[in-house]
Amino acid sequence: MNVKLGRTTVRKGNYGDTYKEWFNFVAEHQMEVTFLLISTLLLGDLLHLPWASKFVRPSYRDDQGFYHKGKSDLCFVFFWTVGFTFLRAGMSWILKPISKHFGLESPSRTARFLEQGWLLIYYTTSLAVGLYISYHSKYWFDTRHFWIGYPHLHMSKLTKCYYLAQTSFWLHQIFVLHTEKKRKDYHQMVTHHVVTSMMLLVSYYTHFTSIGIMVLCMMDSADCVLSLGKCLRYIRYQKACDTVFGLFAITWGYTRHVLYFQFMWSIWHEADQYLSVDCRPLEGKFLCREIQYAFLLAFALLQILMMYWFSHILRIIYLVLRGTGAADTRSDSEG
């Protein structure tokens, strides 16, 4: 028996095929599906429906204006996962005139420009907000304060929204990977996004958000420069692209392979120096060896992936020195 869903036909009885059909339907109608969900939730919030408000607004505000954590935060994460899918689809309409202005005619090159343009906007914005939060904190270039005063149970509204929104973005990126043409490093990207999302969720629940914010800033700093360089390449500003790529290589090396190991060292050494092993979840304390080692293992796994990508960076540097020009060697085609 077949059931029509617009242009999609779902065959009952085969759950695997049904899932793929539904997924393809959502992927093909991202703007419409996400707009419907967002509009419903915003309307419910406007009507002061409690079930809708926890999707749209951060929950658990105390009398002092600080925020705590709880299960309803997952609703906020869901809303922004859908929201980023909508923004990504909508941003392509805004960026299309820019691509036409620079004479992009190839569908594949245009699609890549639109994707990197959206990522450039997102990474630049998230980096600015993350740096603002960390600059006004005690842990700004002082990793001791990742642990001093733990557990950090209270958060400002901006900090909570930022952390949950970043978690939503990385969950949204997992969806994106399954809607676009597969890259050569598809499996590495899936692993990276899944591990990053899990680290964000676990660090939020266990109150280790201070180090999480600094890691997010570290990652965004290189990503926004990379997206800028790719945009310049797609519009054929090759000399500017090569210059930006040089800046990207320096930024990547410092943040992903210097600061990153400092954070790992802090988890390994400073956590023991300023905290004792104490796992009492009801009191918000989650420092036990299992969690400590789990974070170190996740950090190590991401570092292996980043070293793999760093090998591609070195290859691109070699191509630039030969006069070939910077290009993303992970992609099947750059147009």
Side-chain angles (χ1 to χ4, degrees):
M1 178 178 178
N2 294 337
V3 180
K4 284 288 186 180
L5 290 174
R7 294 176 298 182
T8 306
T9 300
V10 177
R11 183 177 298 277
K12 290 185 176 181
N14 190 326
Y15 294 105
D17 290 343
T18 301
Y19 167 77
K20 290 180 180 179
E21 293 289 354
W22 276 102
F23 183 87
N24 291 335
F25 175 81
V26 174
E28 292 173 6
H29 301 84
Q30 293 181 43
M31 179 75 78
E32 299 94 325
V33 172
T34 55
F35 177 77
L36 179 62
L37 284 171
I38 292 171
S39 299
T40 301
L41 293 172
L42 289 176
L43 179 61
D45 179 63
L46 188 63
L47 296 174
H48 303 288
L49 301 177
W51 64 267
S53 296
K54 62 184 179 181
F55 284 90
V56 178
R57 305 173 187 274
S59 305
Y60 306 110
R61 183 178 184 272
D62 62 23
D63 295 335
Q64 286 72 43
F66 290 101
Y67 284 79
H68 302 270
K69 303 160 189 173
K71 294 180 180 179
S72 293
D73 293 333
L74 293 175
C75 299
F76 190 82
V77 170
F78 171 81
F79 176 83
W80 277 104
T81 302
V82 175
F84 283 127
T85 305
F86 174 79
L87 289 173
R88 176 177 176 269
M91 194 60 64
S92 64
W93 292 96
I94 298 175
L95 295 174
K96 271 186 178 179
I98 299 177
S99 67
K100 290 182 179 180
H101 172 77
F102 287 103
L104 294 183
E105 298 179 355
S106 168
S108 61
R109 186 179 284 266
T110 299
R112 292 178 183 276
F113 174 81
L114 297 179
E115 178 68 20
Q116 293 303 319
W118 150 245
L119 291 177
L120 175 61
I121 293 171
Y122 175 79
Y123 288 137
T124 303
T125 303
S126 61
L127 176 61
V129 175
L131 289 176
Y132 175 85
I133 293 172
S134 56
Y135 179 76
H136 291 86
S137 70
K138 294 181 179 180
Y139 52 83
W140 174 255
F141 282 99
D142 189 348
T143 56
R144 297 176 304 163
H145 287 282
F146 291 157
W147 321 110
I148 295 175
Y150 178 82
H152 306 127
L153 303 176
H154 308 288
M155 309 175 74
S156 67
K157 183 178 182 179
L158 178 62
T159 301
K160 178 165 185 167
C161 290
Y162 166 81
Y163 212 86
L164 294 179
Q166 283 277 44
T167 304
S168 304
F169 175 79
W170 286 106
L171 291 171
H172 144 82
Q173 283 293 86
I174 297 174
F175 169 77
V176 170
L177 279 176
H178 292 84
T179 61
E180 61 182 10
K181 182 180 178 181
K182 285 189 178 181
R183 297 148 48 125
K184 293 179 181 179
D185 63 346
Y186 166 79
H187 296 290
Q188 292 89 334
M189 292 293 289
V190 170
T191 302
H192 175 274
H193 293 353
V194 171
V195 172
T196 300
S197 299
M198 291 304 299
M199 287 179 64
L200 286 170
L201 288 168
V202 174
S203 63
Y204 182 82
Y205 180 74
T206 56
H207 311 300
F208 292 111
T209 51
S210 298
I211 189 171
I213 292 173
M214 291 304 298
V215 171
L216 287 168
C217 290
M218 174 203 72
M219 297 177 71
D220 288 345
S221 60
D223 286 336
C224 67
V225 180
L226 176 61
S227 293
L228 174 60
K230 286 188 175 184
C231 287
L232 291 171
R233 174 172 172 79
Y234 297 143
I235 62 176
R236 297 182 176 86
Y237 280 49
Q238 190 60 53
K239 290 185 177 180
C241 169
D242 293 344
T243 301
V244 171
F245 179 76
L247 175 61
F248 161 71
I250 295 172
T251 305
W252 177 285
Y254 177 66
T255 58
R256 303 291 178 95
H257 302 296
V258 176
L259 287 181
Y260 195 89
F261 278 111
Q262 289 183 8
F263 296 153
M264 291 184 68
W265 178 86
S266 181
I267 296 173
W268 174 258
H269 176 72
E270 289 185 325
D272 285 344
Q273 186 177 357
Y274 293 97
L275 293 175
S276 58
V277 177
D278 190 5
C279 192
R280 286 180 284 171
L282 293 179
E283 298 179 21
K285 296 181 179 181
F286 291 88
L287 187 64
C288 59
R289 291 302 180 200
E290 290 79 6
I291 291 179
Q292 186 181 21
Y293 295 154
F295 274 116
L296 285 171
L297 180 62
F299 268 72
L301 178 58
L302 290 181
Q303 182 60 213
I304 291 171
L305 291 173
M306 289 188 288
M307 286 181 174
Y308 164 78
W309 286 316
F310 189 64
S311 68
H312 288 273
I313 294 173
L314 295 177
R315 181 182 177 187
I316 297 172
I317 292 175
Y318 172 72
L319 293 174
V320 171
L321 293 177
R322 287 188 57 188
T324 305
D328 189 347
T329 60
R330 300 170 301 162
S331 301
D332 294 327
S333 172
E334 291 299 319

